[in-house]
Amino acid sequence: MANVVVVGAQWGDEGKGKIVDWLSERADVIARFQGGHNAGHTLVIDGKVYKLSLLPSGIVRGGKLSVIGNGVVLDPWHLVEEIAKLRGQGVEISPDNLMIAENAPLILPVHGELDRARESQNSVAKIGTTGRGIGPAYEDKVGRRAIRVADLGDQATLELRVDRLIGHHDALRRGLGIAPVDRAGLMAALHAIAPQVLPYAKPVWKVLHEARRAGKRILFEGAQGALLDIDFGTYPFVTSSNVIAGQAATGTGMGPGAVDFVLGIVKAYTTRVGEGPFPAELHDADGARLGERGHEFGTVTGRKRRCGWFDAVLVRQTCVTSGVSGIALTKLDVLDGFETLKICVGYDLDGVRLDYLPTAADQQARCQPIYEEMPGWNENTAGARSWNDLPGAAIKYVRRIEELIHCPVALLSTSPERDDTILVTDPFAD
């Protein structure tokens, strides 16, 4: 059976939650493979709104197994809060339908404290982090001093790893003027949260392997967007993990051969939250209109998103680095009523035309967009469920995007409602 990876192909906020929810009806297992609770998903199902930031989007669907893989950094306190919130909305969550990788590293209070202290004291250039400890947790993971989910059930190992972690963090905290870590308080907090987390801990790699052998369909869900990838994003204004599709294998314990289709989620225009280069950003009435019509505020932070025209250069680039098989184009309805639309088709860097975003940060900042204009449409596309429901100008816009990014549209989303979706190519087709 086909397995599908869903990744954001811009700077995040592309509408992955709805698409994953739409696809999850046909999947048996939905697995998160990177990131933490810094990336939000908003699902609208039968008029009811669910806001997720850590749990896989499939959790709201009955009869599905949701998995948090080892590539995710897990804040156990946030996990418990999010589970309680969803249960309050009538969602059933138990170890029968939610599993967490035993080797997933934990986000601790010290990570959030360090994250916020660094950002507040960074006088050169703020990265624009959410301050939730994601970066410091990944640092401890690669520094081999992380506390992992399995350690919560092993007192001797937990004591040793807490001491190793504190030895590193206290030195950093002194330099930032923060008081030393309260070891007793940290241990007490870990002991208190352990019984609420350990029932979900499983060897996820083994569970997924067995599911694949049994012919189950697996949907791998990414967070953020490919332009925030630690290697291929607009560094250093990126997240602290690999976001591109290849991480689906590493972040769950599956081999790369387990992936059959990569679906890149792409918004019909461009947005980003926080700092960093944004060649096609608009600072005019059109940009404000995109933000207002698209309700462009971060699910997790509430921060206003920066808005701009569709950047075909960036999406073409991320389709290559993630090996995208087809895209899901979302929020087309936000463009309704624009007399003229623009698409960024290249960059002008000091008089030289580029067809990709350069790696050097100073060059990225100097890239000026080269636009191609297309006529807009006055008809309403919101709620369209077939090509026949779309105006001709909208179809031409979609087809031009396909040409420019060298990748076909597999799905077209025309509203937050899950059924307002036009299926072109079934990602789960064998």
Side-chain angles (χ1 to χ4, degrees):
M1 305 296 282
N3 298 323
V4 178
V5 177
V6 175
V7 294
Q10 293 162 309
W11 276 294
D13 308 311
E14 304 96 348
K16 290 184 294 297
K18 170 197 167 170
I19 301 300
V20 170
D21 172 64
W22 192 88
L23 290 170
S24 67
E25 189 169 49
R26 301 192 58 210
D28 301 296
V29 182
I30 299 89
R32 271 283 306 271
F33 60 83
Q34 55 77 219
H37 63 305
N38 55 335
H41 298 308
T42 300
L43 309 181
V44 182
I45 303 172
D46 297 328
K48 196 168 186 178
V49 178
Y50 301 91
K51 291 185 180 291
L52 312 176
S53 56
L54 179 60
L55 293 171
S57 297
I59 198 70
V60 300
R61 291 282 160 197
K64 312 294 180 181
L65 173 62
S66 289
V67 170
I68 296 177
N70 56 277
V72 174
V73 282
L74 183 87
D75 183 322
W77 296 276
H78 178 88
L79 172 72
V80 171
E81 290 175 5
E82 194 167 317
I83 288 174
K85 181 179 178 181
L86 288 177
R87 282 175 174 163
Q89 292 184 276
V91 179
E92 293 185 9
I93 303 175
S94 74
D96 292 328
N97 68 342
L98 175 64
M99 293 184 182
I100 301 171
E102 296 172 317
N103 53 339
L106 300 181
I107 300 175
L108 307 177
V110 297
H111 293 130
E113 292 165 4
L114 179 60
D115 203 0
R116 293 185 292 272
R118 283 174 169 170
E119 190 75 353
S120 66
Q121 297 186 24
N122 192 338
S123 60
V124 180
K126 293 184 181 297
I127 300 300
T129 76
T130 60
R132 298 192 170 206
I134 310 298
Y138 274 117
E139 289 178 40
D140 281 346
K141 175 182 177 178
V142 298
R144 294 165 291 181
R145 55 183 169 267
I147 295 169
R148 306 198 291 182
V149 172
D151 299 335
L152 294 175
D154 182 345
Q155 180 64 27
T157 299
L158 184 63
E159 294 273 358
L160 290 172
R161 293 197 172 167
V162 164
D163 286 339
R164 178 174 170 78
L165 180 140
I166 288 176
H168 175 79
H169 277 263
D170 276 351
L172 294 176
R173 293 165 75 94
R174 281 194 297 272
L176 291 168
I178 308 175
V181 177
D182 176 3
R183 185 185 189 282
L186 176 58
M187 289 298 299
L190 290 171
H191 287 149
I193 201 70
Q196 301 177 71
V197 176
L198 285 173
Y200 300 99
K202 296 288 188 301
V204 158
W205 65 269
K206 185 174 185 295
V207 171
L208 292 179
H209 173 68
E210 291 171 350
R212 186 186 179 205
R213 289 191 64 188
K216 304 291 186 181
R217 284 176 168 161
I218 303 172
L219 184 62
F220 298 94
E221 177 184 3
Q224 290 107 5
L227 292 170
L228 295 175
D229 185 270
I230 189 68
D231 289 313
F232 293 100
T234 48
Y235 191 91
F237 305 100
V238 294
T239 194
S240 297
S241 62
N242 284 113
V243 179
I244 59 176
Q247 178 64 17
T250 308
T252 59
M254 299 287 283
V259 176
D260 300 295
F261 192 100
V262 177
L263 183 67
I265 315 300
V266 179
K267 196 178 289 187
Y269 50 101
T270 312
T271 64
R272 84 171 295 175
V273 172
E275 309 295 327
F278 186 170
E281 183 174 10
L282 295 173
H283 301 280
D284 57 10
D286 286 337
R289 185 178 177 184
L290 288 171
E292 291 167 5
R293 296 204 61 192
H295 306 291
E296 296 298 348
F297 295 91
T299 300
V300 171
T301 65
R303 290 185 292 183
K304 185 177 180 179
R305 297 178 185 134
R306 301 154 63 189
C307 297
W309 296 118
F310 185 84
D311 192 328
V313 181
L314 290 178
V315 175
R316 182 170 63 242
Q317 192 164 323
T318 57
C319 283
V320 171
T321 57
S322 268
V324 173
S325 310
I327 68 167
L329 190 65
T330 68
K331 304 189 86 167
L332 182 68
D333 55 301
V334 173
L335 300 181
D336 292 354
F338 278 90
E339 182 177 346
T340 301
L341 300 174
K342 295 182 180 181
I343 300 176
C344 178
V345 296
Y347 302 132
D348 183 318
L349 177 60
D350 304 332
V352 177
R353 180 165 179 152
L354 299 179
D355 62 356
Y356 68 99
L357 186 68
T359 300
D362 64 322
Q363 293 181 359
Q364 290 180 351
R366 297 203 310 275
C367 282
Q368 298 299 311
I370 299 172
Y371 288 120
E372 177 180 295
E373 293 189 357
M374 295 189 69
W377 55 88
N378 291 317
E379 298 92 332
N380 183 21
T381 65
R385 297 184 181 182
S386 75
W387 287 110
N388 292 333
D389 296 333
L390 297 176
I395 294 175
K396 289 180 180 178
Y397 181 76
V398 173
R399 294 308 187 199
R400 184 55 179 151
I401 284 176
E402 290 181 314
E403 293 173 354
L404 290 168
I405 67 173
H406 305 163
C407 192
V409 170
L411 294 166
L412 187 63
S413 171
T414 56
S415 95
E417 291 290 342
R418 73 188 303 269
D419 292 330
D420 292 341
T421 306
I422 301 171
L423 176 64
V424 182
T425 301
D426 184 357
F428 277 120
D430 296 332

